[in-house]
Amino acid sequence: MTVCGLWQGPQRLAAAIANEDGLLRPPITVPANSNNARHLLDYLADANINTLVLAEYSHSLITLAHARRLRVRLVPHDLLEGIRIATALNRRPPRHTAILLARWPFTPARYYLREFKPITPQKSQLPLF
């Protein structure tokens, strides 16, 4: 199982890829904008990433990843922020949080991960645009 942790900081988007044995590849960081996010997710889809681990409130990344048919697993926001504050990751570069997310499925905390399942719109729902 190849896992990628993806974290978007205020200025940088970081991806960390962990192989089946839990070894990490060097993190990938790019400026945080929508064009770079699309290119990075295309690369991850081409690299045969089995699972993409994201924070629960990463709505734009979740939508882009789902459109590329990536398997998305979500970490609860409160738990992730508590860990980031306790370990001072909130004051470090985004790649450190991406590494945390990439290692998450290999730890006992993997039971907190939940599969992303998009909600299908009801027939009576009107389109927004």
Side-chain angles (χ1 to χ4, degrees), residues 8 11 13 30-38:
Q8 184 167 0
Q11 297 173 353
L13 178 65
V30 295
N33 62 45
S34 60
N35 196 26
N36 286 342
R38 284 196 286 290

Side-chain angles (χ1 to χ4, degrees), residues 81-100:
E81 282 304 308
I83 292 171
R84 289 184 72 232
I85 290 168
T87 58
L89 288 177
N90 57 341
R91 291 186 231 129
R92 302 194 70 187
R95 69 177 179 270
H96 295 282
T97 302
I99 290 169
L100 169 70

Side-chain angles (χ1 to χ4, degrees), residues 22-35:
L23 293 177
L24 290 170
R25 298 180 196 171
I28 302 166
T29 59
V30 295
N33 62 45
S34 60
N35 196 26

Side-chain angles (χ1 to χ4, degrees), residues 2 6-7 9-10 15 28 45 47 58 74-75 85-86 90-91 93-95 99 101 104-105 109 113 120 124 126:
T2 307
L6 189 61
W7 178 256
I28 302 166
S58 305
L74 301 174
V75 176
I85 290 168
N90 57 341
R91 291 186 231 129
R95 69 177 179 270
I99 290 169
L101 292 172
W104 200 289
L113 289 174
T120 56
S124 61
L126 297 174

